[in-house]
Amino acid sequence: MNLKDIHSVYFIGIGGIGMSALARYFKFVGKEVAGYDRTPTPITDGLMEKGISVHFEDNVDLISDTFKHPNTLVVYTPAVPSKHTEFQFYQSGGFNLKKRSEVLGIITRDSFCLAVAGTHGKTTTTCILAHLLKECELPMTAFLGGVSEDFDSNFVLDGTEYSVVEADEFDRSFLRLTPTIACITSMDADHLDIYGTKDELDKSFREFVNRIKPEGKLFVRKGLPLEGITFGIEDGADYCIENIEIEHGAYIFDLVTPSEVIKNVKFNKPGRHNLLNGLAAFAMAVQTGCPPHRLAEALATFKGVQRRFSYQIKEKDFVFIDDYAHHPTEISAVHQAIREMHAGEKVTVIFQPHLFSRTRDFADDFAASLSDFDEIILLDIYPAREEPIEGVTSQWLLEKIENPNKKLISKSALLEEVKNRKSGVLVALGAGDIGMEVPKIKKELSYAH
């Protein structure tokens, strides 16, 4: 498929973080762009501000004639059900239908592509990487899996020679990419509704590695069962962080590379997992020819990613943090970061489980990671693309948590539950619609304070 021959692009599921970045790209390069999504969100609001038409009812009559022309490219997300009316219209009409991952692979194929894969850390690492390349003034296009606070966007277009992409393992999407430089941050069991077993997931990561261009390189966190250039913390990796200190809520450390040691590097995002993300991005960026010392300085100016350890309130006696963590490993990483940066404070977690299948597959691990907090407020499971599974409920999960300070509440009761919090640390976790509640919580708590 030659994208130059495409005049109009229609998105089914345009409000997704990855889909919306593609929509912004096609609008930027002069295509006619429109799409459907289930509900209005800040993302769809932002698209409409760019002149992209979005509607929220599955109705073919709402699609303008511009996007019923045979020359229309139709991009869809795997989350769209096959019975979706608009999807069926385009499928039966012989239109050019492609998954988001296929289109991303076509766009980035001829560029110097830097792709970040892994079950955790992809989004933050790609956002740091885009920030580093921007600071080096490289001609870059970045498709990000979250809203970067440095760009206030999930999409950057400063040129096409380099591309930065999040290589998503869900639905084996990353097997559509052909990266020049690839990184794998983690390979924990996840998406077992897709893969069935951890072995199948690992096999998919190995297939991704085989898609790296012949002249390319692979970076892997030390300890993963893959051959590549390693990165790690105080473990003798090829790229290694050593001598860590904390000053005014920031990390100060030495960055050891295969050729030199860069001292007194600063990084402002809490958590050892974020240190690893920054190190991975640094190591990848070095491969573009950017001077390492310049990249190390740029690490200090990275602002962050929305819903990735985002401080909503940060006062002397009270802190409110928002994070996307939706896997036991991620929850434990957030817990470690809070205990390190806010030692001695009482920590209350609000957690909204994401997917019935994930809750079922990792129930004991969720219970263990949540039990480490001082108080647990559990919400109902966010179903996303799934139908309920008998016996898999938040009440079932709650009973597994070995901590007496726990409760299950409805989302509608959340504001009343937290409004009188005046000390300690409150953290909201989850990948569902809990993110929509965060501004309301912040407003209520700010008023209370």
Side-chain angles (χ1 to χ4, degrees):
M1 183 184 73
N2 191 339
L3 294 179
K4 292 179 180 177
D5 299 332
I6 299 294
H7 300 297
S8 54
V9 188
Y10 188 80
F11 289 83
I12 304 176
I14 196 168
I17 196 75
M19 292 280 277
S20 61
L22 277 181
R24 287 174 180 271
Y25 168 81
F26 282 115
K27 183 69 175 177
F28 191 92
V29 298
K31 311 295 184 186
E32 293 288 334
V33 181
Y36 155 87
D37 211 279
R38 283 191 304 175
T39 53
T41 64
I43 290 177
T44 56
D45 291 345
L47 293 176
M48 289 189 280
E49 287 172 7
K50 293 287 184 183
I52 296 171
S53 175
V54 183
H55 62 263
F56 304 98
E57 180 187 339
D58 177 16
N59 185 342
V60 174
D61 292 339
L62 297 177
I63 304 172
S64 77
D65 291 342
T66 301
F67 302 96
K68 293 177 179 176
H69 190 277
N71 202 30
T72 297
L73 167 64
V74 181
V75 187
Y76 68 98
T77 169
V80 171
S82 57
K83 61 184 180 183
H84 192 275
T85 306
E86 295 184 11
F87 179 81
Q88 289 181 338
F89 165 77
Y90 282 115
Q91 190 177 48
S92 62
F95 283 82
N96 193 354
L97 268 81
K98 292 199 177 294
K99 288 184 179 179
R100 179 191 67 86
S101 55
E102 293 180 78
V103 179
L104 189 60
I106 294 167
I107 291 171
T108 60
R109 185 170 52 204
D110 297 325
S111 67
F112 188 105
C113 179
L114 300 103
V116 181
T119 45
H120 323 295
K122 294 185 295 293
T123 297
T124 301
T125 304
T126 50
C127 287
I128 299 171
L129 182 55
H131 169 70
L132 297 182
L133 299 192
K134 174 80 171 179
E135 291 296 294
C136 282
E137 300 178 345
L138 292 184
M140 160 201 68
T141 303
F143 298 91
L144 308 174
V147 177
S148 163
E149 293 176 357
D150 292 271
F151 303 108
D152 194 28
S153 179
N154 58 338
F155 172 65
V156 185
L157 206 164
D158 287 334
T160 57
E161 186 177 337
Y162 296 87
S163 61
V164 175
V165 299
E166 184 169 321
D168 190 0
E169 76 279 1
F170 173 72
D171 198 40
R172 297 178 171 83
S173 293
F174 60 176
L175 301 184
R176 303 284 187 177
L177 300 171
T178 49
T180 313
I181 305 296
C183 168
I184 296 177
T185 62
S186 50
M187 291 168 58
D188 291 319
D190 200 4
H191 301 303
L192 298 185
D193 55 324
I194 300 294
Y195 289 98
T197 66
K198 173 72 161 61
D199 287 344
E200 279 298 307
L201 176 67
D202 290 351
K203 178 182 174 183
S204 195
F205 275 105
R206 289 192 291 272
E207 289 176 24
F208 170 70
V209 171
N210 290 333
R211 295 191 60 81
I212 298 172
K213 293 173 183 174
E215 73 276 15
K217 292 181 181 178
L218 171 67
F219 290 84
V220 297
R221 197 191 80 226
K222 187 167 184 180
L224 292 181
L226 295 169
E227 291 292 324
I229 303 167
T230 58
F231 62 93
I233 296 176
E234 296 174 338
D235 59 2
D238 298 318
Y239 284 82
C240 194
I241 286 174
E242 295 183 350
N243 303 319
I244 301 171
E245 295 182 2
I246 297 175
E247 294 182 8
H248 307 296
Y251 290 114
I252 308 293
F253 55 89
D254 295 340
L255 204 165
V256 181
T257 79
S259 59
E260 63 181 322
V261 178
I262 305 173
K263 290 188 172 292
N264 297 316
V265 180
K266 184 177 181 181
F267 190 67
N268 289 301
K269 296 305 292 180
R272 299 293 174 109
H273 61 301
N274 281 321
L275 267 183
L276 282 168
N277 295 335
L279 179 61
F282 170 89
M284 295 177 77
V286 167
Q287 307 309 308
T288 66
C290 285
H293 282 264
R294 187 175 180 184
L295 292 170
E297 290 174 4
L299 281 174
T301 58
F302 173 68
K303 293 178 182 177
V305 188
Q306 289 182 13
R307 301 219 62 225
R308 303 307 193 277
F309 211 96
S310 300
Y311 282 104
Q312 301 297 309
I313 299 173
K314 192 175 185 182
E315 299 174 351
K316 184 178 180 181
D317 60 341
F318 180 71
V319 169
F320 175 39
I321 298 165
D322 176 32
D323 196 279
Y324 190 72
H326 56 284
H327 184 282
T329 302
E330 296 165 350
I331 294 170
S332 295
V334 171
H335 178 264
Q336 177 274 323
I338 293 173
R339 295 296 188 194
E340 188 171 52
M341 292 298 175
H342 303 283
E345 297 290 341
K346 177 186 176 182
V347 185
T348 299
V349 63
I350 306 164
F351 179 57
Q352 182 190 49
H354 183 261
L355 296 179
F356 294 103
S357 60
R358 184 183 281 122
T359 306
R360 175 199 63 199
D361 294 338
F362 303 108
D364 291 340
D365 295 325
F366 275 123
S369 60
L370 290 169
S371 294
D372 289 335
F373 292 87
D374 298 308
E375 182 182 4
I376 303 101
I377 299 171
L378 199 60
L379 302 181
D380 289 324
I381 298 170
Y382 184 77
R385 57 187 179 269
E386 292 184 337
E387 296 297 322
I389 297 173
E390 186 176 354
V392 179
T393 65
S394 285
Q395 180 61 44
W396 173 69
L397 175 59
L398 187 78
E399 291 167 4
K400 290 177 173 286
I401 296 173
E402 295 183 0
N403 185 324
N405 301 314
K406 60 183 180 180
K407 64 173 65 175
L408 172 63
I409 66 170
S410 66
K411 194 171 61 176
S412 61
L414 186 53
L415 286 184
E416 186 66 28
E417 175 67 34
V418 303
K419 71 177 185 180
N420 292 320
R421 308 268 164 169
K422 295 181 180 178
S423 63
V425 179
L426 180 67
V427 55
L429 304 180
D433 61 1
I434 188 173
M436 304 291 282
E437 301 301 310
V438 167
K440 303 174 193 174
I441 297 171
K442 179 181 179 180
K443 183 178 180 182
E444 187 72 41
L445 291 172
S446 297
Y447 176 77
H449 279 250

